[in-house]
Amino acid sequence: MTKKKKTKKKGANWGVPKNAAAYFDPSYDYPFRDKHPILYLLTVIAVIVGVMIGPALYIYLCWLKIQSNIALDSFNLFFWIIGFISSFGISIGFCNLFMIIHKQYLGHYVTIGSFIIGVVGSAIGLLFL
């Protein structure tokens, strides 16, 4: 008697899952939190740190560039804000990858799209700063 291997449909993780709206409900985490309290705490801390990685890195790069460059005027400030906001895209991509542990992954399109928006927006912001 041989066991049949359960195969996942190819491409199942590309799109956003049908129950993705439930991921943002705090009660969705209760079963995982009750079963793994220490892992839950560690993942929450990691996600909080992950949210800060993109903007912190962008602020650091801006600080290095401003030190050797010019003072901020309204034109540069506009691009600084654009880069800062888009740097959260990098953070969203990191956090989305990390939420695989909680089985709350939003799909490859969200991850790749977040990284692209974050990197491109931050690069534009740094270029015009």
Side-chain angles (χ1 to χ4, degrees), residues 64-79:
L64 289 177
K65 188 161 184 176
I66 288 172
Q67 270 189 335
S68 64
N69 218 353
I70 57 171
L72 286 176
D73 59 6
S74 60
F75 178 74
N76 292 355
L77 185 61
F78 171 75
F79 283 105

Side-chain angles (χ1 to χ4, degrees), residues 1-6:
M1 197 180 219
T2 61
K3 288 185 181 182
K4 287 189 177 184
K5 207 176 208 184
K6 203 176 198 182

Side-chain angles (χ1 to χ4, degrees), residues 83-96:
F84 180 74
I85 291 171
S86 64
S87 70
F88 281 98
I90 298 168
S91 297
I92 291 169
F94 280 130
C95 290
N96 193 30

Side-chain angles (χ1 to χ4, degrees), residues 8-127:
K8 234 182 190 182
K9 191 168 82 171
K10 193 171 184 175
N13 287 333
W14 280 96
V16 177
K18 292 178 182 169
N19 66 338
Y23 295 169
F24 298 98
D25 183 15
S27 64
Y28 191 84
D29 283 342
Y30 291 165
F32 184 82
R33 185 184 67 189
D34 293 340
K35 193 172 182 181
H36 309 285
I38 295 172
L39 183 61
Y40 179 77
L41 177 66
L42 292 174
T43 56
V44 167
I45 291 169
V47 166
I48 290 170
V49 169
V51 166
M52 291 190 239
I53 286 174
L57 180 63
Y58 182 75
I59 289 171
Y60 176 71
L61 292 174
C62 286
W63 178 70
L64 289 177
K65 188 161 184 176
I66 288 172
Q67 270 189 335
S68 64
N69 218 353
I70 57 171
L72 286 176
D73 59 6
S74 60
F75 178 74
N76 292 355
L77 185 61
F78 171 75
F79 283 105
W80 186 87
I81 292 171
I82 293 292
F84 180 74
I85 291 171
S86 64
S87 70
F88 281 98
I90 298 168
S91 297
I92 291 169
F94 280 130
C95 290
N96 193 30
L97 288 173
F98 205 81
M99 292 309 289
I100 292 172
I101 295 170
H102 287 252
K103 296 186 171 113
Q104 295 178 347
Y105 184 61
L106 293 175
H108 300 329
Y109 288 133
V110 172
T111 304
I112 293 168
S114 297
F115 279 127
I116 289 171
I117 289 169
V119 169
V120 169
S122 297
I124 289 172
L126 286 171
L127 182 68

